[in-house]
Amino acid sequence: TKDKQKTSMTSYASVVSGKRILMITGDYSETLETFSVAQTLSAVGHQVVSVTPGRERGETVRTAVHSFEAGVATYSESRGHDFTLTGTFAELLEEGALDRYDGLYIPGGRSPEYLRTDSTVLDVVRHFVEAGKPIAVICHGVQLLAAVSGAVEGRRVSCYPACQFEVTANGGEYSEVA
C-alpha cells in the first residue's frame, strides 16, 4: 500500500541521510564523477566536504571531461568546469578531525594518480580503511585506494578497466560492471 511504502521510504531516509562524507579530489578529477556525486549526495541529505592538499575552502580545482569515441582505443580529455572546495585538507590532520566523517568518496579522473603520491592523503584514506567506514570510489579513484596497503585485498572491486591491474596486484578481485 501507499502508506506502507511512504513509511518505509521515510525510515530509509532517516537512516541514510545526514551523514558527513569526505570527498578527496584534485585537479583534473572527472567532471561528472565530481559534480554529480557531490550534488546527489547533498540532495539526499548528506553533507559533502570536498578537499585537496594545498588548497583552502572556497578555492577551486579544475575538472576534466572524458569522452569515448568510436574507433579510438581510449578516452579523450577536455577541460571541464572549476569545482569549488567546501573544506580545507590541512584541517583533516588535526587530532580527531577524521572521526567526524561517516564515509569517504574518491572521484576518478587524473587526480587519483598524483594524489596517491602524497603520504598525508594516504594517511587519510588509511584512516577510513582501518576504521571500517564506507568508502566509495569510481573509475580511476581506485588508484588512490589501492595505494593503501590492504585496502582492496580480498574485495571485489569495479573500476575503469585500465585500473584493474592495480586492483589485482594488490590482492583484490576485478569485477566488470558495465
Side-chain angles (χ1 to χ4, degrees):
T1 67
K2 282 189 176 186
D3 289 336
K4 188 174 184 178
Q5 288 174 336
K6 185 177 178 183
T7 302
S8 76
M9 289 302 287
T10 302
S11 299
Y12 176 76
S14 66
V15 170
V16 298
S17 67
K19 302 296 182 186
R20 194 163 191 225
I21 310 298
L22 178 64
M23 176 170 43
I24 299 177
T25 189
D27 284 324
Y28 294 100
S29 62
E30 210 286 328
T31 299
L32 290 175
E33 297 167 11
T34 304
F35 280 93
S36 297
V37 174
Q39 291 169 349
T40 300
L41 288 170
S42 294
V44 296
H46 300 298
Q47 178 190 9
V48 179
V49 179
S50 54
V51 299
T52 198
R55 305 241 176 100
E56 304 288 321
R57 178 182 298 107
E59 292 186 88
T60 61
V61 294
R62 292 180 173 191
T63 66
V65 176
H66 291 162
S67 301
F68 293 88
E69 302 167 37
V72 179
T74 190
Y75 57 86
S76 63
E77 182 174 87
S78 56
R79 175 77 158 80
H81 302 282
D82 288 341
F83 179 78
T84 303
L85 301 170
T86 58
T88 300
F89 185 83
E91 292 172 358
L92 300 176
L93 307 179
E94 296 171 7
E95 184 70 33
L98 292 174
D99 295 330
R100 295 191 292 266
Y101 291 91
D102 300 299
L104 172 65
Y105 171 64
I106 304 168
R110 289 198 354 246
S111 63
E113 76 184 39
Y114 71 83
L115 288 171
R116 66 184 169 174
T117 67
D118 186 319
S119 63
T120 56
V121 172
L122 296 178
D123 288 342
V124 170
V125 174
R126 188 175 297 106
H127 167 84
F128 285 89
V129 171
E130 292 175 354
K133 293 182 179 182
I135 301 171
V137 300
I138 190 167
C139 203
H140 287 80
V142 76
Q143 292 177 312
L144 182 50
L145 185 60
V148 173
S149 181
V152 298
E153 187 175 348
R155 299 181 190 275
R156 198 164 100 200
V157 178
S158 177
C159 58
Y160 184 67
C163 298
Q164 68 180 296
F165 306 103
E166 286 153 292
V167 171
T168 57
N170 287 288
E173 176 189 344
Y174 170 69
S175 177
E176 186 174 347
V177 187

